[in-house]
Amino acid sequence: MVQITSPAFKQNAARALGDAGLQKALGKAKGAFLQRRADAVSRLPEFEQLRDIGRDIKNHTLANLDFYLETFAANVERAGGTVHWCSTAEEARATVLDICRKADAKTVTKGKSMISEEIAINDHLEAHGITPVETDLGEYIIQLRHEHPSHIIAPAFHLNREDWEADFRRMHTDLDPNRVFNERRDILAEARTKLRSRFLAADVGITGANFLIAETGSSVIVTNEGNGDLTQTLPRVHIALASIEKVVPTLEDATSLLRLLARSATGQDFSVYTTFSTGVRRPGDLDGPEEYHVVLIDNGRSNMIGSEFQEMLRCIRCAACMNHCPVYGVTGGHAYGWVYPGPMGSVLTPSLVGIDKAALLPNASTFCGKCESVCPVKIPLPNLMRHWREREFERHLTPRAVRRNLGLWAWFAKRPGMYRLATRAAMGTLSLLARGKGVFRSLPLAGGWTEGRDLPAPEPGGTFMARYAKMQREGR
Amino acid sequence: MTKDAILASIRRGLKRGPLPADQRAMLEGRLATHPRHLIPARSRVPRPEQIALFIRNVEKEFGSVARIAAGEEVPEAVADYLAAQNLAPRFVLAPNPELQALPWAEKPMLEFEARRAQATDAVSVQHGYAGIAETGTLMLPSDAARPTTLNILAETEIVVLRASAVIGAYEEAWDRLRRERTDPVTGGFMPRNVMLVTGPSRSADIEQTLELGAHGPRRLHIILIDDDPAALPVA
Ligand code: SF4
């Protein structure tokens, strides 16, 4: 498993705030995503209705998950594919290695997949003499740098153009060291050339899956580059890695969710390539894999069903929550210390790795509510973070000082740069704290900050603690 | 078995055993009828407007469209496009009977082979199954006559599409596939691969700035045959 540094979130965040290169990259990237999403949403008047539909489809599926997984598996097998059920990351790694060995694989191309990060398949393959090659442009440079993705749809979110150029010069030593990168597209062209031979040589292609479709036994990938399609079409063996909550009943269900996905993620109306893979090459087909494997991974998710965190399993990994998160916007993704950053990571990581290792993450929030308001499947992320904080209080996992001032919220509030963002994004929460006086004499959770100054408040409302207590009473 | 353990864990969470027969039947009914959800109004317009919407969306996504009156004009349209792009008049053609039957001999400078695509092919000419006006998306289901490699290997992909195959929403394309195709292996309708393609390949991984020409085609050109009298532009 990827090494977990979530317990050091504070130190990670402090380092991130002081990292000029990172701050530059974050500053550039953030605005682009927000504007593009807003534009895409404004072009589709039915977007809000579709969010309700998306939520309902996912809820229906989760309530009948056993049925839909069994139906999916039966349909994969009817199409000549194989489904491998894996409870843990270890089982999934062993399964993938076994398939690769049987295929006598030397190199394996890979499409972008967060579950492959979660099970750390690259290290495992490498340790057994098989070379994994990341083919998504962002993943490719991350692999060259021996890093992990800092964002779930834009793995190289934390890098600047200069980093790309330097790394390409360092790694592509067969090319003219004095070549000039005039434009971003020169970097892209070099990666395209470099990866072409890899695509053609690979024995196995590994992709993730944005959706699995029970009706047809299909795995669906959504990409813009086309690397995922080269990965799953050219090698003799295709392995799709997917966690159990990716299944949806029908093509119509997947289609409705696809209307939400690209708009929420990159602000496109539709991604360039949305591809449905169903089984093996048919008689007469001139291309496509001869083996098709779906590695179906639980790794802690089935335990979330029936718990207060079940709603998190609706997530379609669009990244809108992190793109709109004021905390992510200044710390970047690596500070979160595991595979999934931002608000969705703050809920999911404790569920998957244990709250003891991720206790700080649910506190890494201004509770501004922006994440929930953009989530295409309406996951109540702030509430779920509150649930974790409650649990954590019950278990007394937090150090006393953190308990006293509700920890990171205050920690962030004391950082002026952070606070400006928070105030801009967090009017709702702040108004709750102002008790109708229009000014904060003291913030109940950030005494250190208000000692020497007042903070103008946006609008009157009930206190945070009152609201929090009310929510607990209502069992939300 | 791991499968049973996972299913048992899910059922524990759902606080029930395996689904009772009547509920199973209900879910099977939902799969069989695959109900549609909300379909955005934007594509529910008269035929000529649907075609115009399709073209507008393709162009918005950096593709291009040439509209021709009849299939016989395809070879000329291919030759013209390649010349305009300064590309050699050489391509791999989908081994599709409809495409192979076109009067290629009238453009003898065009060299082509009908087969799957290879890494050395610079241009592919593919057969389009459906065009989805809602987002300017092509549906390209794989079969012996429509190899997937033609969609991804060449730098330039040309897709020949009949205007009668342009529909409004994705759901209509799925229903057409359900109606028209029987899979030799599953008896269902899904082929091994269905690609929905919207514009040429791109990446925004470098500083979140869009650049065209990632691993798939750099150019996507659609030759649209006006075979549908109801879909012609209103004069
Ligand atoms: S939690 Fe919602 S907004 Fe965040 S990645 Fe998942 S679906 Fe997208």
Side-chain angles (χ1 to χ4, degrees), chain A residues 306-325:
Chain A
S307 81
E308 60 266 63
F309 302 107
Q310 175 170 327
E311 291 184 277
M312 192 60 221
L313 295 176
R314 291 204 297 265
C315 175
I316 58 172
R317 305 285 189 271
C318 72
C321 57
M322 62 197 73
N323 290 341
H324 290 78
C325 176

Side-chain angles (χ1 to χ4, degrees), chain B residues 96-174:
Chain B
N96 174 291
E98 199 182 316
L99 292 185
Q100 285 174 296
L102 294 171
W104 297 104
E106 288 170 20
K107 289 280 162 191
M109 79 286 237
L110 291 177
E111 286 172 42
F112 63 90
E113 286 175 31
R115 50 167 169 77
R116 62 161 278 175
Q118 289 157 2
T120 46
D121 293 318
V123 179
S124 64
V125 176
Q126 178 64 294
H127 180 263
Y129 179 76
I132 298 156
E134 182 174 346
T135 48
T137 300
L138 292 162
M139 178 184 270
L140 305 169
S142 71
D143 62 34
R146 197 182 294 104
T148 307
T149 39
L150 268 77
N151 307 332
I152 51 181
L153 273 173
E155 282 215 345
T156 302
E157 180 179 13
I158 300 175
V159 177
V160 178
L161 180 71
R162 293 177 170 277
S164 56
V166 174
I167 40 80
Y170 315 102
E171 284 85 345
E172 296 165 57
W174 291 129

Side-chain angles (χ1 to χ4, degrees), chain A residues 433-435 439-447 450-451 453-455:
Chain A
L433 298 164
R435 308 180 187 204
V439 141
F440 294 106
R441 285 290 159 192
S442 74
L443 278 171
L445 310 177
T450 47
E451 254 158 42
R453 65 215 108 165
D454 290 342
L455 178 73

Side-chain angles (χ1 to χ4, degrees), chain A residues 46 126 166 211 249 308 356 378 449:
Chain A
E46 295 93 342
E126 241 159 345
F211 302 100
E308 60 266 63
D356 53 325
K378 296 199 155 178
W449 199 88

Side-chain angles (χ1 to χ4, degrees), chain A residues 78-200:
Chain A
R78 188 165 305 143
T82 312
V83 176
H84 307 262
W85 301 70
C86 300
S87 278
T88 61
E90 291 75 36
E91 271 183 56
R93 281 195 292 266
T95 302
V96 173
L97 179 62
D98 191 47
I99 299 169
C100 292
R101 278 187 168 153
K102 285 196 180 122
D104 205 12
K106 313 252 168 337
T107 66
V108 169
T109 40
K110 287 189 64 211
K112 210 188 111 40
S113 149
M114 290 312 293
I115 191 80
S116 94
E117 300 287 335
E118 186 180 321
I119 66 168
I121 191 63
N122 287 6
D123 292 347
H124 193 67
L125 291 176
E126 241 159 345
H128 292 86
I130 297 168
T131 309
V133 181
E134 294 289 351
T135 63
D136 169 88
L137 186 63
E139 292 284 351
Y140 176 68
I141 193 167
I142 294 302
Q143 190 180 28
L144 292 184
R145 293 169 67 90
H146 302 288
E147 287 183 343
H148 294 289
S150 65
H151 188 282
I152 61 171
I153 65 160
F157 201 75
H158 57 292
L159 297 181
N160 293 295
R161 189 175 144 182
E162 304 81 79
D163 302 315
W164 286 85
E165 295 186 8
D167 286 326
F168 273 30
R169 267 184 226 291
R170 185 168 56 81
M171 298 305 294
H172 300 159
T173 47
D174 54 325
L175 300 175
D176 175 10
N178 298 317
R179 66 194 181 283
V180 184
F181 295 100
N182 286 317
E183 317 247 7
R184 291 191 190 86
R185 93 170 55 107
D186 299 334
I187 303 172
L188 186 62
E190 184 166 312
R192 181 186 164 110
T193 313
K194 275 277 154 197
L195 279 165
R196 223 359 108 108
S197 54
R198 301 297 221 156
F199 282 123
L200 299 168

Side-chain angles (χ1 to χ4, degrees), chain A residues 243-409:
Chain A
S243 47
I244 54 172
E245 82 282 14
K246 297 285 175 188
V247 73
V248 294
T250 64
L251 288 167
E252 279 72 8
D253 295 317
T255 299
S256 287
L257 290 163
L258 284 164
R259 285 195 176 97
L260 291 164
L261 178 59
R263 291 183 172 94
S264 302
T266 52
Q268 289 167 281
D269 291 342
F270 217 59
S271 298
V272 178
Y273 302 109
T274 302
T275 305
F276 300 70
S277 294
T278 313
V280 297
R281 185 189 284 213
R282 305 291 196 262
D285 277 3
L286 302 177
D287 50 25
E290 286 157 34
E291 287 180 35
Y292 172 73
H293 300 268
V294 178
V295 179
L296 201 53
I297 303 165
D298 181 347
N299 206 27
R301 286 158 177 86
S302 60
N303 290 331
M304 293 166 70
I305 293 175
S307 81
E308 60 266 63
F309 302 107
Q310 175 170 327
E311 291 184 277
M312 192 60 221
L313 295 176
R314 291 204 297 265
C315 175
I316 58 172
R317 305 285 189 271
C318 72
C321 57
M322 62 197 73
N323 290 341
H324 290 78
C325 176
V327 176
Y328 181 96
V330 293
T331 66
H334 286 152
Y336 289 79
W338 198 55
V339 176
Y340 302 101
M344 58 80 72
S346 293
V347 177
L348 192 60
T349 302
S351 304
L352 299 185
V353 307
I355 185 66
D356 53 325
K357 295 195 196 71
L360 291 175
L361 298 185
N363 292 290
S365 164
T366 66
F367 290 92
C368 67
K370 192 73 194 162
C371 49
E372 178 174 0
S373 76
V374 295
C375 176
V377 284
K378 296 199 155 178
I379 298 173
L381 292 155
N383 251 339
L384 298 185
M385 282 187 253
R386 274 187 200 102
H387 284 320
W388 273 127
R389 292 175 14 160
E390 271 173 62
R391 278 213 190 175
E392 179 197 338
F393 268 55
E394 285 161 17
R395 294 182 190 202
H396 298 288
L397 289 173
T398 31
R400 199 181 315 127
V402 175
R403 245 180 291 152
R404 198 172 56 233
N405 62 14
L406 272 183
L408 288 175
W409 185 87

Side-chain angles (χ1 to χ4, degrees), chain B:
Chain B
M1 244 173 84
T2 307
K3 174 181 174 180
D4 297 331
I6 293 175
L7 293 175
S9 173
I10 291 170
R11 287 174 188 144
R12 235 184 345 268
L14 295 172
K15 297 179 185 59
R16 61 163 173 76
L19 280 175
D22 57 332
Q23 282 187 43
R24 261 190 98 86
M26 226 172 64
L27 296 180
E28 271 154 12
R30 189 185 186 280
L31 288 175
T33 52
H34 48 84
R36 290 181 179 185
H37 305 286
L38 176 143
I39 293 180
R42 61 155 73 160
S43 71
R44 281 179 282 143
V45 291
R47 289 292 290 152
E49 283 171 48
Q50 242 171 16
I51 307 284
L53 177 67
F54 175 73
I55 295 172
R56 244 190 350 266
N57 278 329
V58 169
E59 289 173 349
K60 174 167 91 66
E61 297 301 339
F62 309 97
S64 54
V65 180
R67 231 172 146 166
I68 58 173
E72 295 82 75
E73 296 170 27
V74 168
E76 188 179 347
V78 169
D80 288 352
Y81 178 75
L82 295 180
Q85 299 295 322
N86 254 326
L87 295 168
R90 201 172 305 124
F91 55 89
V92 52
L93 181 76
N96 174 291
E98 199 182 316
L99 292 185
Q100 285 174 296
L102 294 171
W104 297 104
E106 288 170 20
K107 289 280 162 191
M109 79 286 237
L110 291 177
E111 286 172 42
F112 63 90
E113 286 175 31
R115 50 167 169 77
R116 62 161 278 175
Q118 289 157 2
T120 46
D121 293 318
V123 179
S124 64
V125 176
Q126 178 64 294
H127 180 263
Y129 179 76
I132 298 156
E134 182 174 346
T135 48
T137 300
L138 292 162
M139 178 184 270
L140 305 169
S142 71
D143 62 34
R146 197 182 294 104
T148 307
T149 39
L150 268 77
N151 307 332
I152 51 181
L153 273 173
E155 282 215 345
T156 302
E157 180 179 13
I158 300 175
V159 177
V160 178
L161 180 71
R162 293 177 170 277
S164 56
V166 174
I167 40 80
Y170 315 102
E171 284 85 345
E172 296 165 57
W174 291 129
D175 274 350
R176 211 186 119 197
L177 203 60
R178 283 191 176 101
R179 250 190 341 264
E180 292 181 356
R181 193 173 181 283
T182 305
D183 190 86
V185 171
T186 66
F189 60 92
M190 275 301 259
R192 187 196 67 74
N193 173 289
V194 178
M195 286 185 76
L196 301 180
V197 177
T198 313
S201 93
R202 66 200 65 178
S203 174
D205 271 345
I206 308 169
E207 298 183 331
Q208 274 54 63
T209 306
L210 183 72
E211 294 289 346
L212 293 183
H215 299 294
R218 251 175 243 267
R219 301 183 195 86
L220 178 70
H221 182 64
I222 297 170
I223 298 178
L224 190 66
I225 306 170
D226 266 317
D227 67 334
D228 180 0
L232 289 172
V234 197

